[in-house]
C-alpha cells in the first residue's frame, strides 16, 4: 500500500488573489489535456484566456475525481447546485 506524502503548498500574493473564470475551453491529445480559463461578459463577443493549465490524462482524471468529491461535499452542506439549462436532477 502506497503511503501518502504530506505536501506543503505555498500560495504567493498574486496567486492568492485568484482569477475569475466563467468559461473553460478543453482540448486534449493522447498525451495531455489543455484547459483554458476565460471569462465572458454579456454583450461582449470577445474574450481572452487568463490562465492555461496543461496536464496528463491521469492528472485530468484525478482532477475530475477531486471536483466530483468536492461538489458532493458542497451540495451536502449548501444544497444542490442548479445549472441553467442542465438536468433537473443535478
Amino acid at each position: 500500500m502506497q503511503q501518502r506524502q504530506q505536501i506543503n503548498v505555498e500560495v504567493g500574493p498574486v496567486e492568492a488573489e485568484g482569477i475569475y473564470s466563467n468559461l473553460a475551453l478543453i482540448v486534449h491529445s493522447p498525451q495531455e489535456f489543455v484547459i483554458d480559463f476565460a471569462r465572458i461578459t454579456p454583450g461582449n463577443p470577445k474574450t481572452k484566456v487568463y490562465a492555461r493549465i496543461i496536464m496528463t490524462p491521469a492528472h485530468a482524471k484525478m482532477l475530475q475525481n477531486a471536483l466530483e468529491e468536492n461538489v458532493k461535499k458542497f451540495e451536502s452542506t449548501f444544497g444542490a447546485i442548479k445549472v441553467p439549462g442542465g438536468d433537473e436532477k443535478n
Side-chain angles (χ1 to χ4, degrees), residues 6-81:
Q6 185 84 15
I7 299 174
N8 186 10
V9 178
E10 187 175 308
V11 179
V14 172
E15 292 80 12
E17 289 182 25
I19 297 171
Y20 177 76
S21 174
N22 59 6
L23 176 66
L25 306 163
I26 303 170
V27 296
H28 54 84
S29 71
Q31 294 80 26
E32 61 198 14
F33 275 70
V34 179
I35 308 171
D36 288 333
F37 293 94
R39 59 180 167 254
I40 54 174
T41 55
N44 187 355
K46 288 181 78 174
T47 187
K48 73 174 196 170
V49 171
Y50 289 89
R52 171 173 280 180
I53 305 298
I54 303 167
M55 60 181 65
T56 66
H59 284 111
K61 186 70 171 188
M62 288 188 282
L63 175 61
Q64 176 189 15
N65 292 340
L67 284 170
E68 286 177 358
E69 180 181 324
N70 279 274
V71 166
K72 285 178 186 173
K73 288 178 183 177
F74 178 94
E75 289 184 325
S76 71
T77 302
F78 301 105
I81 299 169

